[in-house]
């Protein structure tokens, strides 16, 4: 089952594939240690073959949705002004 992500949303790496493809016009394979499990990136676009273009600190890479999860920002509720 393929997850859908919104362009510009944050995602987190939950597992690493054997090799990682760069998100260049002619993708190249890189070793998986170029990114790490738990690293967060921003979704750039959706690519053919079920890949997502993700911008990480070390560059842009193509990952399948099975290796990603959405990062939901949990905001703390503001304290009410009923303290007195």
């Amino acid at each position: 089952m393929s997850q859908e992500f919104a362009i510009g949303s944050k995602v987190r790496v939950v597992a690493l594939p054997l090799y990682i493809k760069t998100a260049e016009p002619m993708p190249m394979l890189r070793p998986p240690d170029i990114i790490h499990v738990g690293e967060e990136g921003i979704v750039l676009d959706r690519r053919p073959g079920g890949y997502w273009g993700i911008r990480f600190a070390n560059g842009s890479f193509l990952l399948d949705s099975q290796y990603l999860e959405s990062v939901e920002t949990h905001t703390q509720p503001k304290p009410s002004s009923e303290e007195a």
Side-chain angles (χ1 to χ4, degrees):
M1 183 167 90
S2 179
Q3 286 185 343
E4 293 295 318
F5 303 106
I7 305 301
S9 65
K10 281 189 163 187
V11 292
R12 180 181 300 121
V13 177
V14 294
L16 292 174
L18 295 176
Y19 293 95
I20 296 177
K21 290 183 185 180
T22 61
E24 299 170 354
M26 183 131 185
M28 297 171 58
L29 294 177
R30 298 287 181 207
D33 63 353
I34 200 161
I35 60 172
H36 306 286
V37 172
E39 190 168 348
E40 294 181 2
I42 297 177
V43 177
L44 298 174
D45 58 6
R46 174 80 172 179
R47 301 282 177 103
Y51 287 97
W52 292 93
I54 311 292
R55 161 83 55 199
F56 292 103
N58 293 340
S60 297
F61 302 98
L62 301 176
L63 291 171
D64 193 301
S65 61
Q66 70 181 359
Y67 301 110
L68 302 169
E69 72 177 1
S70 181
V71 175
E72 297 176 2
T73 56
H74 292 48
T75 57
Q76 294 287 334
K78 291 185 178 181
S80 64
S81 60
E82 301 175 8
E83 295 177 2

